[in-house]
Amino acid sequence: MGTDEQGTAPLYQRIYQHLHDDIEQGVRPPGSKLPSIRGLADELGCSRNTVEAAYRLLTSEGYAASRPGSGYVVQDLALVETSAPERPEILGVPQPRARYDFTYGNLEPGTFPAAAWRALTDDILLGVESVGCDAYNDPLGEDELRREIAWRMTTQRGMDCTPDQVVVQGGTHSSVQNLLTLFRGDADVVAMEEPGYDGVRAAVERSRFAVAPCRIADGYARFIDDLEASGARLVYVTPSSQFPTCQVMPVRLRATLLAWAEEHDAYILEDDYCRDFRYRERALPPLASMDDRGRVVYMGTFSKSLSPALRMNYLVLPPALLERWRSVFGASYSEVPWLNQRVLGRFMHDGWDRHLRRLQVRNRRKYEALTGALRAHLGGAFRIMENGTGLHLLVCARDGRSEDELIEAARAADVAVYGTRRYWVDPDRAPGGCVLVGFSSIAEEDIEPGVRALARAWS
């Protein structure tokens, strides 16, 4: 094989180009085998890595494929797409959204403070001190952001928290999976509220931990009994606004839970995902503020108050787990981009309080509009489960209709509501005819007509 035609180009590129031209010109027909990596390396007097790099290029462009037991084989170029199809064929036709979409999780368009974010981004990128984009950042996250988080945890949550305890993460799923590396999947059990957030349960199961459901549907009456029987080393809870039932964990139960963790050498993962949104009463102190034994991992998020698309949340680790975390992740780097962390740190210092107040006022109005409309139009035929917290509530039929029947009837009226069975480890335990109605994304002016359409569909 002659490979001198391209002069000073790296040898692997010359090998690639030679074989590429042979395949294009039909010298090597579809189905024919390329020389073995070892044989070609010996023939050219080069390393196998050089030949392998050339073959990887051919494979990535569709000219060859690796076949087990056969080495590399020339592909049929007629089967290789040489130009991009029209965009509608790639993207497909998007499914139309319901006219009234009571989804939970997404935020209303216009919530994100785009103008402020753009100005801060420009300021950081143009600043002569901005060297973060030229180096790997701290494994725990950007110092400015962690200091802002720690200050708010200390002054607004009553927690004994330092910036060194804060770990910036790329979302709840990532946080949970990383935290579980500090435990043993072959021996440790993770307890969860039943019903509870299915996203965390999926992350636990992906990490190959057993899940022990602890019932909370009857006002936490069975929760501690189930927890005691579980043998868990970690329990995941949402005490400030239980997901999805909206219950608030009583103070006495919080003290019992902390005592359980101390007695069993276990830890509590407190997901305070929706603490900023309270409409009737002030929030109870978080478990982390009551913890003087280092048993609570506090988890906060920016998805409900800023943007779910940024994929940023954080853990506040107790000292013992912080040491384990540093041992496991000390040689890693933060999975959240440096620029997003820097902008958020600056925004928390300069504009966060104004932004959050506006969002709290807007969500309070939407909460009042939704609960008022549901009570006015659905009457006594449905039970409304809410507790003046969060960004959703539950609506349960009293006449025995199933979740699927309610969702289908709503869909026929161009209204979207959402099922709840998936939040149960054992779906057979789920009460029938209970759907989730959220207000984080729908516009305030659409709530009343949306509920009226829902009432007509269900009447």
Side-chain angles (χ1 to χ4, degrees):
M1 175 186 293
T3 57
D4 297 329
E5 295 87 343
Q6 296 181 39
T8 59
L11 181 57
Y12 81 90
Q13 289 185 359
R14 285 179 274 157
I15 297 171
Y16 156 80
Q17 192 63 51
H18 183 93
L19 292 171
H20 167 277
D21 293 346
D22 280 356
I23 294 170
E24 284 280 6
Q25 295 163 13
V27 176
R28 297 181 183 273
S32 63
K33 294 175 61 176
L34 295 179
S36 70
I37 291 175
R38 175 185 294 178
L40 187 53
D42 290 345
E43 177 186 339
L44 297 177
C46 65
S47 73
R48 297 178 192 175
N49 289 342
T50 300
V51 177
E52 191 170 8
Y55 281 15
R56 280 200 301 268
L57 272 178
L58 290 168
T59 302
S60 69
E61 295 185 1
Y63 286 94
S66 177
R67 302 278 176 80
S70 300
Y72 285 84
V73 178
V74 175
Q75 292 287 84
D76 186 349
L77 292 181
L79 302 179
V80 178
E81 186 69 61
T82 57
S83 60
E86 295 296 322
R87 283 190 179 273
E89 295 179 35
I90 298 175
L91 301 177
V93 179
Q95 292 296 315
R97 290 183 60 183
R99 172 64 183 86
Y100 303 108
D101 190 353
F102 289 98
T103 186
Y104 166 81
N106 294 336
L107 303 186
E108 185 178 347
T111 297
F112 184 70
W117 197 266
R118 185 185 307 114
L120 291 171
T121 300
D122 290 345
D123 185 55
I124 289 169
L125 289 177
L126 294 173
V128 294
E129 78 283 0
S130 295
V131 295
C133 55
D134 301 315
Y136 291 107
N137 55 3
D138 191 310
L140 298 182
E142 285 296 303
D143 180 66
E144 181 180 9
L145 176 57
R146 291 190 291 119
R147 282 190 282 109
E148 287 294 330
I149 293 171
W151 181 80
R152 291 176 183 277
M153 295 302 100
T154 302
T155 59
Q156 299 176 7
R157 303 285 193 264
M159 295 164 51
D160 184 12
C161 172
T162 67
D164 288 341
Q165 292 175 263
V166 177
V167 184
V168 179
Q169 291 284 278
T172 297
H173 295 193
S174 179
S175 295
V176 171
Q177 289 186 283
N178 287 340
L179 180 65
L180 288 175
T181 62
L182 311 184
F183 296 84
R184 292 179 52 192
D186 61 340
D188 295 335
V189 173
V190 178
M192 289 190 63
E193 299 160 326
E194 172 79 325
Y197 178 33
D198 59 325
V200 166
R201 186 172 73 243
V204 172
E205 291 171 342
R206 278 198 300 270
S207 298
R208 302 187 183 278
F209 281 75
V211 174
C214 300
R215 291 166 289 181
I216 56 92
D218 298 325
Y220 292 96
R222 304 176 185 178
F223 179 79
I224 290 296
D225 289 341
D226 289 348
L227 185 58
E228 290 280 3
S230 70
R233 289 288 315 287
L234 180 69
V235 57
Y236 169 82
V237 292
T238 52
S240 66
S241 182
Q242 200 281 328
F243 188 87
T245 68
C246 307
Q247 298 178 83
V248 176
M249 183 182 287
V251 172
R252 183 169 58 184
L253 183 61
R254 296 176 187 224
T256 303
L257 184 55
L258 288 167
W260 168 85
E262 174 68 14
E263 179 182 348
H264 292 82
D265 189 25
Y267 290 90
I268 302 163
L269 175 55
E270 178 181 18
D271 187 352
D272 216 6
Y273 72 102
C274 224
R275 185 182 189 81
D276 290 322
F277 303 111
R278 318 284 301 183
Y279 313 114
R280 290 205 299 265
E281 300 172 354
R282 294 179 65 85
L284 292 173
L287 281 166
S289 70
M290 303 168 62
D291 176 30
D292 58 2
R293 301 298 179 90
R295 290 294 166 182
V296 177
V297 178
Y298 183 91
M299 182 162 64
T301 182
F302 299 101
S303 294
K304 307 297 183 292
S305 53
L306 185 62
S307 166
L310 285 177
R311 307 311 307 138
M312 269 197 281
N313 77 329
Y314 57 92
L315 299 174
V316 180
L317 297 173
L321 288 185
L322 181 60
E323 289 304 313
R324 289 194 218 171
W325 186 283
R326 289 184 180 277
S327 174
V328 172
F329 295 104
S332 304
Y333 300 103
S334 177
E335 58 197 43
V336 181
W338 158 82
L339 183 58
N340 285 350
Q341 292 192 52
R342 285 293 302 274
V343 176
L344 179 55
R346 192 78 61 85
F347 184 64
M348 290 186 75
H349 187 273
D350 294 337
W352 179 262
D353 292 329
R354 294 189 300 275
H355 166 75
L356 186 58
R357 278 196 296 271
R358 285 194 295 268
L359 195 55
Q360 287 169 332
V361 169
R362 180 196 298 176
N363 284 333
R364 177 184 294 275
R365 289 200 307 263
K366 293 203 288 185
Y367 160 80
E368 291 171 349
L370 179 59
T371 53
L374 288 171
R375 292 190 174 99
H377 297 292
L378 294 184
F382 292 83
R383 177 187 175 202
I384 300 168
M385 296 175 60
E386 58 90 16
N387 208 19
T389 66
L391 297 171
H392 79 280
L393 46 78
L394 301 184
V395 175
C396 304
R398 299 183 188 273
D399 60 5
R401 275 182 287 180
S402 71
E403 172 185 300
D404 291 340
E405 288 176 299
L406 294 174
I407 292 172
E408 286 303 317
R411 183 180 293 125
D414 213 8
V415 182
V417 294
Y418 297 86
T420 58
R421 285 173 58 84
R422 64 192 181 119
Y423 302 126
W424 298 74
V425 174
D426 181 1
D428 291 336
R429 288 184 177 180
C434 201
V435 297
L436 184 149
V437 181
F439 56 93
S440 59
S441 179
I442 192 168
E444 182 182 353
E445 59 269 22
D446 286 340
I447 291 176
E448 173 75 20
V451 172
R452 285 202 305 270
L454 200 58
R456 289 193 296 270
W458 287 349
S459 62

